[in-house]
Amino acid sequence: MKIALFATCIVDGMYPSTARATVSILERLGHEVVFPKGQACCGQMHINSGYFAEAVPVIANHVEAFDRADYDVAVAPSASCVASVKHQHPMIAERAGDAGLKSRAESVGARTYELSQLLTDVLGITDAAAELGSWFPTSVTYHPSCHGMRLLRLEDRQLSLLRTVEGITVADLPEADQCCGFGGTFSMKNAEVSSAMLDDKAGNIMSTGASLCTGGDASCLLHIGGGLSRSGAAAGTLHFAEILASTREHPYDAGTGHHTKAQVAR
């Protein structure tokens, strides 16, 4: 299968290792991964902040990049960005009165999957250790992002994959379904409320005794990681794609933030 990678802004700019881990997992399964040129921001930040008109050309750029590319399905290691592509893009195009853009956005959205959706629903992966060779002898706890839970309805897809990683210990996170307080520009416009929510999330993570908090959205993990650091916690954060990409032969190195062999374990 030919799979198009939608890297997303935060992953591309701040966590490129997550994108490389995503590619590593898919290539390990024998799939070809391509990178549509011209992709940039999906416009989620504009839409969530109410800048609907300003979001239209951003959406048009994403649709053009992925509508013209040659691939079977697209994948992103981000539930919030996939939710925007699937749900917000057609809505904003319709609001702008552009029926053609809406139709193309729906077509692109129908072929776009969050990573755990693609692995479980399309590729039939149910056992990370047996089918991906995933090995991660570390204690983790899991934060499900709001967009993943409420818009994509991911349910336990990410968590189920994590629980099948060899060597891992997954501790249940108290009040896991509570927002971490990021919410994109919400954390800047409502800093005090956001900080209070983050304090609760960080406290719950620390109560598990886990070494890492994992999840499927780099933006949430960025926010949570900052809160844990300011709290003096020993725990850090790591995207679940990097856990799945870790193997005995090419393990994730917490000291360097990389997998051995430049994260190309296949």
Side-chain angles (χ1 to χ4, degrees):
M1 182 179 290
K2 185 180 288 188
I3 301 172
L5 175 66
F6 169 31
T8 80
C9 295
I10 290 184
V11 168
D12 183 53
M14 302 190 71
Y15 298 101
S17 59
T18 297
R20 290 195 293 269
T22 300
V23 173
S24 174
I25 292 165
L26 297 174
E27 290 187 342
R28 191 183 306 165
L29 290 168
H31 301 287
E32 179 185 358
V33 181
V34 297
F35 187 82
K37 295 181 179 180
Q39 64 174 284
C41 179
C42 67
Q44 178 192 169
M45 180 178 68
H46 306 69
I47 300 165
N48 291 349
S49 298
Y51 293 100
F52 297 153
E54 291 81 357
V56 173
V58 183
I59 292 170
N61 179 77
H62 182 88
V63 169
E64 179 69 11
F66 282 85
D67 195 32
R68 291 172 60 88
D70 176 24
Y71 64 95
D72 298 303
V73 295
V75 66
S78 168
S80 61
C81 292
V82 171
S84 182
V85 169
K86 283 184 170 293
H87 298 281
Q88 293 180 329
H89 284 193
M91 176 187 72
I92 296 301
E94 181 177 31
R95 182 186 178 93
D98 192 333
L101 180 60
K102 178 187 177 184
S103 177
R104 294 177 73 198
E106 288 174 338
S107 176
V108 169
R111 289 196 290 165
T112 303
Y113 295 85
E114 180 273 335
L115 179 58
S116 71
Q117 281 183 318
L118 179 68
L119 289 173
T120 59
D121 298 359
V122 179
L123 303 181
I125 302 300
T126 59
D127 190 322
E131 296 168 283
L132 301 176
S134 305
W135 180 76
F136 196 79
T138 307
S139 60
V140 307
T141 191
Y142 167 74
H143 165 71
S145 69
C146 294
H147 285 88
M149 284 191 297
R150 297 178 174 89
L151 272 178
L152 291 188
R153 310 284 178 148
L154 293 181
E155 298 176 338
D156 61 352
R157 287 175 176 82
Q158 293 176 354
L159 184 57
S160 293
L161 288 170
L162 285 167
R163 291 192 186 280
T164 64
V165 171
E166 183 182 0
I168 201 169
T169 300
V170 182
D172 291 334
L173 179 63
E175 300 180 327
D177 63 345
Q178 298 302 303
C179 179
C180 69
F182 179 62
T185 55
F186 172 84
S187 60
M188 292 179 279
K189 293 179 178 179
N190 302 276
E192 292 184 359
V193 176
S194 173
S195 295
M197 296 168 73
L198 178 57
D199 287 344
D200 289 343
K201 181 63 68 174
N204 284 330
I205 290 169
M206 288 187 286
S207 76
T208 68
S211 299
L212 288 170
C213 174
T214 188
D217 274 277
S219 53
C220 296
L221 295 175
L222 173 70
H223 187 60
I224 292 170
L228 290 171
S229 177
R230 288 190 295 274
S231 298
T237 59
L238 186 68
H239 196 284
F240 88 101
E242 303 209 39
I243 294 176
L244 297 186
S246 179
T247 66
R248 284 182 177 273
E249 296 76 18
H250 306 286
Y252 179 82
D253 185 342
T256 64
H258 294 285
H259 297 86
T260 59
K261 301 293 184 183
Q263 295 182 300
V264 289
R266 297 177 184 139

